[in-house]
Amino acid sequence: MKNLFIILLLCAGMSVQAGKPVPSDPKATAETVKLYQKMLKLQTKGMMFGHQDDLPYGTSWYDVEGRSDVKEVCGDYPAIFGWELGHLELGHDYSLDSVKFSKISGWIKQMDREGAINTISWHFTNPLTGGNAWDTSSKKTVASMLPSGEKNKLYNQYLDKLATFMLGLKTDKGTYIPILFRPFHEHTGSWFWWGKDLCTVAEYKALWRYTVTYLRDNKNIHHLLYTYSTGTVASANEYLERYPGDDLIDIVAFDSYDGAPDFTKTLSNCCKMISAIGAEKGKIAAVSEVGGHIEKNPQWWTTVLLETLRPYNMSYALVWRNAYQSKKEIAYAPAKGAPSEKDFVKFYNDPKTLFLKDIK
Ligand code: BMA
């Protein structure tokens, strides 16, 4: 009976070892396998809270040892820490969000020691035009990066820099720190050069396969859990149209920001679809980016985010950054003295939400 169950799981595209689901990388390190299984288990118990660039800055402070807007409001750190590697490919010392890469490595190591989980996004330079991630002036970028494309060599150089960074993420014991890696995100929209209208389905999938194969097989990197992260979608077909394959992906996720009046409906639909896809594939499901009008609607944390996500088994929901000195962008996480502070404490105290102390 057990064997039959395992065969069924394998047929569903799920990798299994000793009766337990394992990451897509057959050579995933022991710590990576452990994290994968821990996250799958945890997502049935609660939803982790994540924050992008939680430690480097808040809207009015920059690089203050131990400081975190989230901790100042609720007394605990997020369970998931989001980091951004844009400009690493150019050999710069600082990310496009003005965070020093050496500090990012340090924070990843520190928070891993504390028991937190780290996820990395990469808004990287358009290899064909030299413009930024939002440069959608050419529909040939993705094709140019693939083998036989004119920018394949340059892309390999970008990946070499990424690999050096990833291979530098080690614990004091010398083991690699598992990372949720989330490239080519929000590709169901067309605001990044890897977006829907900028490359074909086949090119997008080929880019994923090329990238994972390069990192995994050429660079011997086996501590990454790969996250497929769309924008808001209307159907499972739309979600899966550019899905590169069960042998490449570990986490099925989506990004969605509060904007349209029917946001809760949209968010709920996406969670329903994507948690079902995750369950069917035996993969982790997550809300890889979310954010709302917490200034205008200070009860957003509980009335919108929590109540909409409560029925679903999503592993985590990560809110975007509290950009330093930014007037145009809204701060996506709470901060001491901000209108949504009290509601965030309620959100924190709800048994559904998991913060650092809950996952240690
Ligand atoms: C976007 C914005 C940008 C930032 C980018 C990468 O959503 O926050 O300001 O540079 O993410 O982190």
Side-chain angles (χ1 to χ4, degrees):
M1 194 57 189
K2 195 174 170 201
N3 284 349
L4 179 67
F5 179 64
I6 292 171
I7 290 165
L8 286 174
L9 292 182
L10 287 170
C11 292
M14 186 192 294
S15 309
V16 174
Q17 238 171 48
K20 283 187 175 177
V22 288
S24 58
D25 180 354
K27 291 190 184 162
T29 63
E31 293 73 22
T32 310
V33 173
K34 208 170 140 200
L35 175 64
Y36 187 69
Q37 294 171 347
K38 177 179 173 173
M39 287 180 73
L40 276 171
K41 210 166 152 190
L42 265 181
Q43 78 180 11
T44 63
K45 303 216 160 80
M47 186 188 70
M48 291 184 276
F49 178 77
H51 183 209
Q52 182 75 4
D53 276 352
D54 185 74
L55 301 173
Y57 51 77
T59 53
S60 61
W61 58 270
Y62 181 83
D63 194 4
V64 181
E65 179 74 30
R67 210 169 161 181
S68 149
D69 283 339
V70 170
K71 181 153 193 268
E72 282 174 18
V73 169
C74 70
D76 198 359
Y77 285 110
I80 305 264
F81 285 79
W83 307 100
E84 165 61 34
L85 295 187
H87 287 182
L88 182 82
E89 69 284 359
L90 302 176
H92 291 186
D93 289 339
Y94 286 82
S95 77
L96 78 166
D97 298 326
S98 309
V99 189
K100 209 171 184 182
F101 292 117
S102 56
K103 294 229 56 168
I104 295 180
S105 310
W107 278 315
I108 288 177
K109 290 176 195 176
Q110 181 195 334
M111 293 329 288
D112 177 74
R113 267 197 306 272
E114 299 282 328
I117 298 168
N118 292 286
T119 176
I120 287 181
S121 55
W122 194 21
H123 292 75
F124 70 103
T125 303
N126 182 323
L128 184 61
T129 64
N132 62 23
W134 295 265
D135 177 2
T136 53
S137 61
S138 172
K139 294 192 182 207
K140 299 205 168 98
T141 300
V142 173
S144 80
M145 296 159 72
L146 298 171
S148 79
E150 59 177 297
K151 295 297 174 187
N152 180 249
K153 262 211 180 114
L154 179 64
Y155 183 45
N156 290 349
Q157 288 165 12
Y158 286 6
L159 289 176
D160 291 344
K161 292 200 178 75
L162 180 79
T164 304
F165 182 88
M166 295 295 191
L167 290 168
L169 300 175
K170 284 188 179 174
T171 64
D172 297 338
K173 283 189 270 165
T175 54
Y176 289 110
I177 297 170
I179 297 291
L180 321 182
F181 181 47
R182 187 174 70 95
F184 317 127
H185 64 300
E186 297 178 10
H187 60 283
T188 46
S190 298
W191 43 88
F192 297 125
W193 54 255
W194 55 82
K196 188 170 174 251
D197 295 341
L198 289 311
C199 59
T200 65
V201 170
E203 284 163 355
Y204 182 80
K205 288 186 180 181
L207 181 63
W208 256 105
R209 188 160 294 278
Y210 181 79
T211 304
V212 175
T213 309
Y214 192 92
L215 296 172
R216 190 150 94 178
D217 304 338
N218 294 21
K219 291 287 164 181
N220 239 325
I221 295 179
H222 301 292
H223 58 290
L224 305 183
L225 293 174
Y226 290 93
T227 309
Y228 173 76
S229 161
T230 64
T232 305
V233 290
S235 68
N237 279 349
E238 187 188 357
Y239 185 79
L240 291 171
E241 192 190 16
R242 289 173 182 238
Y243 181 72
D246 289 332
D247 58 332
L248 305 175
I249 300 298
D250 302 298
I251 301 175
V252 289
F254 71 100
D255 294 359
S256 197
Y257 284 85
D258 195 351
D262 51 357
F263 174 68
T264 50
K265 214 169 142 201
T266 312
L267 185 63
S268 164
N269 274 342
C270 284
C271 287
K272 196 171 175 184
M273 280 181 310
I274 291 151
S275 58
I277 291 170
E280 190 204 311
K281 291 182 175 301
K283 313 263 181 206
I284 296 159
V287 187
S288 37
E289 283 184 37
V290 69
H293 302 298
I294 54 176
E295 287 273 324
K296 279 193 249 154
N297 180 5
Q299 263 84 51
W300 187 82
W301 297 108
T302 55
T303 59
V304 179
L305 192 61
L306 183 58
E307 290 320 314
T308 310
L309 297 184
R310 193 187 291 286
Y312 307 106
N313 286 347
M314 303 306 280
S315 169
Y316 69 87
L318 177 141
V319 296
W320 209 239
R321 60 207 199 98
N322 282 357
Y324 178 54
Q325 283 183 330
S326 176
K327 294 214 173 74
K328 272 185 244 140
E329 284 175 343
I330 64 164
Y332 287 105
K336 204 81 197 147
S340 77
E341 194 186 338
K342 269 205 188 117
D343 190 57
F344 190 80
V345 175
K346 264 171 93 183
F347 176 84
Y348 170 75
N349 284 326
D350 193 283
K352 171 78 181 178
T353 60
L354 304 174
F355 285 69
L356 182 54
K357 283 180 197 153
D358 302 311
I359 68 153
K360 280 187 170 210

